[in-house]
Amino acid sequence: MATDPAELTHRAQAWLAEDPDPETRDELAKLIAAEDTDELAARFAGTLQFGTAGLRGELGAGPMRMNRSVVIRAAAGLAAYLKAQGDGSGLVVIGYDARHKSADFARDTAAVMVGAGLRAAVLPRPLPTPVLAFAIRHLGAVAGVEVTASHNPPRDNGYKVYLGDGSQIVPPADGEIAAEIAAVRALADVPRPEAGWETLDETVLAAYLARTDAVLTPGSPRDTKVVYTPMHGVGRDTLVAAFARAGFPAPTVVAEQAEPDPDFPTVAFPNPEEPGAMDLAFATARAAGADIDIVIANDPDADRCAVAVPDPGTPDGWRMLRGDEVGALLAAHLVRKRAAGTFATTIVSSQLLSRIAAAASLPYEETLTGFKWLARVDGLRYAFEEALGYCVDPAGVRDKDGITAALLITELAAELKQSGRTLGDLLDDLALEHGLHATDQLSVRVEDLSLIADAMRRLREQPPTALAGLTVTRADDLAQGTETLPPTDGLRYYLSGSPAAGIEAARVVVRPSGTEPKLKCYLEVVVPVSAPQALPEARTKAVTALESIKRDLAEAAGI
């Protein structure tokens, strides 16, 4: 790490000399002139690391920020990797969202690919990430790049890489690409022609939209009334078009969040899971009247889908369903549609899916967190993760897709409505059949990443023997890997049941977030339910147990 002021200034000046972006050049020149050693140290403490999430970070000048220099190097490394794999004349498809600098990063990537001898095609405008994932296989590309920071704060951007199978990269490809990036010396050595790539027309989007019909049953009910928010992102036009093709009523779009806006002015974080993010959607639903059946939200790049249902017992009149609940609802719907193939989820998501799959005699698998792993499950038919990600058409998009998930949950709501029932009623049915699987999270955002490392070290050195009075019967240090999982930085605890507390079993998984400065703890308790009238008491028991686990875990982790 460069801490000497003279060395910092030297590195900053060398970076400045080859920075192709006037904005970041000006920003860096001012930092150098001001002799802002602390800020320079933060930006030149190393390099933004390329991994299985690609790149993601705060926009700004320097190797520890997202900027055109970093993106050009990343693109050059990817091009070198593809050439080493024998794909040196193949096609790379590039998509981008509406964040600050996304279009610039996409254009730079296309220029680098063409300069390296590959072919490049850029999507016609900011579009949902699943359109890019679809386009890779649809066009026979050898790789794809999506410029997006998904639901991160406005100051961030990112760079997500897919290979020719339409799935995000996993080891060892990430390490090999990172090595090629590190081998890039001066930016002047990276050819970047002014032209030579293709800007795709609307036919690729039309092909994606035609594919969305595949998730629905011909002739199924379509009369669901929906309020929808794209959360200032790129989902609106694609989702509205998909709904129109399917024959659903046009969604009522939240006006204040309808247009793409990289500043995300109405939310603290553009993530439907964050407190307050859905307030405008709920207000729109209340204003629209009692005939609204569900509220749907996409995150800014529309690969995630959030769902809310009417609930008179809440201050807003609406309740956000957890990702685990939507995942179970979609699974039950697909089972009823006689879906065949493997159902999969991640180690941090609810185990309810395993029971739904077992009852339907369907194969089931668990993977590490992220669709980069889920997409690679053999014979995959359906996958979800608790962070609002659902893959309901792996033959079309081998990644999470917030558009097709929205279509499928809307179809389910319509079928239930025709029978005088709701999504909540189906969740009750699943609890009665398989036990109430209640989930919660303890999520701690930090400024100092060392706090996360300290918490993980403390849990490893002094592992809890009980949480909420439930004995830890098995503790897995996932850094060691398992028979079915590669190593990852995480801890998993299985807890005994408690007949006195009405708990059948519980599980806790602790891991650092892969995309945000957060320590995330995933909690699940299973409560047996004997009859419909026992559901309220079961939910009370579950909430009590989850809160108690949360308190004890926070103490054990020192957070």
Side-chain angles (χ1 to χ4, degrees), residues 192-413:
R192 286 182 289 129
E194 293 293 322
W197 58 89
E198 178 186 2
T199 299
L200 296 168
D201 60 21
E202 297 297 313
T203 56
V204 67
L205 178 60
Y208 167 81
L209 286 169
R211 179 76 205 184
T212 61
D213 296 348
V215 305
L216 302 174
T217 301
S220 62
R222 305 287 164 97
D223 64 342
T224 315
K225 302 291 179 62
V226 174
V227 162
Y228 167 70
T229 175
M231 206 68 66
H232 297 296
V234 299
R236 179 192 62 185
D237 291 351
T238 304
L239 182 135
V240 169
F243 269 54
R245 282 184 61 94
F248 288 114
T252 300
V253 179
V254 177
E256 300 93 332
Q257 298 173 334
E259 296 294 332
D261 188 330
D263 294 320
F264 306 105
T266 67
V267 291
F269 291 94
N271 179 354
E273 294 178 293
E274 292 284 348
M278 295 292 288
D279 288 354
L280 284 171
F282 296 156
T284 302
R286 289 194 300 272
D291 64 336
I292 298 298
D293 299 303
I294 56 175
V295 172
I296 289 176
N298 287 137
D299 67 340
D301 69 325
D303 62 352
R304 300 171 192 244
C305 177
V307 181
V309 296
D311 186 343
T314 64
D316 291 312
W318 289 84
R319 181 175 79 86
M320 271 279 288
L321 298 181
R322 293 187 173 275
D324 286 320
E325 292 177 304
V326 177
L329 288 169
L330 291 173
H333 189 39
L334 288 168
V335 165
R336 188 177 176 191
K337 289 157 76 82
R338 303 182 187 278
T342 301
F343 280 30
T345 192
T346 68
I347 58 170
V348 302
S349 303
S350 172
Q351 299 167 98
L352 175 55
L353 184 66
S354 66
R355 300 197 182 188
I356 293 172
S361 300
L362 291 169
Y364 169 79
E365 282 197 32
E366 283 184 17
T367 73
L368 294 183
T369 308
F371 267 84
K372 57 185 175 283
W373 300 108
L374 286 170
R376 287 176 163 75
V377 168
D378 287 340
L380 182 67
R381 175 58 185 88
Y382 169 65
F384 91 91
E385 61 179 356
E386 53 74 40
L388 310 182
Y390 316 95
C391 176
V392 300
D393 178 27
V397 175
R398 212 156 182 85
D399 196 8
K400 55 185 176 289
D401 183 345
I403 305 297
T404 49
L407 286 173
L408 198 60
I409 198 72
T410 303
E411 179 187 58
L412 173 57

Side-chain angles (χ1 to χ4, degrees), residues 511-525:
R511 60 180 281 272
S513 170
T515 57
E516 297 178 272
K518 283 182 176 181
L519 181 69
K520 303 185 85 169
C521 310
Y522 306 83
L523 324 175
E524 180 172 33
V525 298

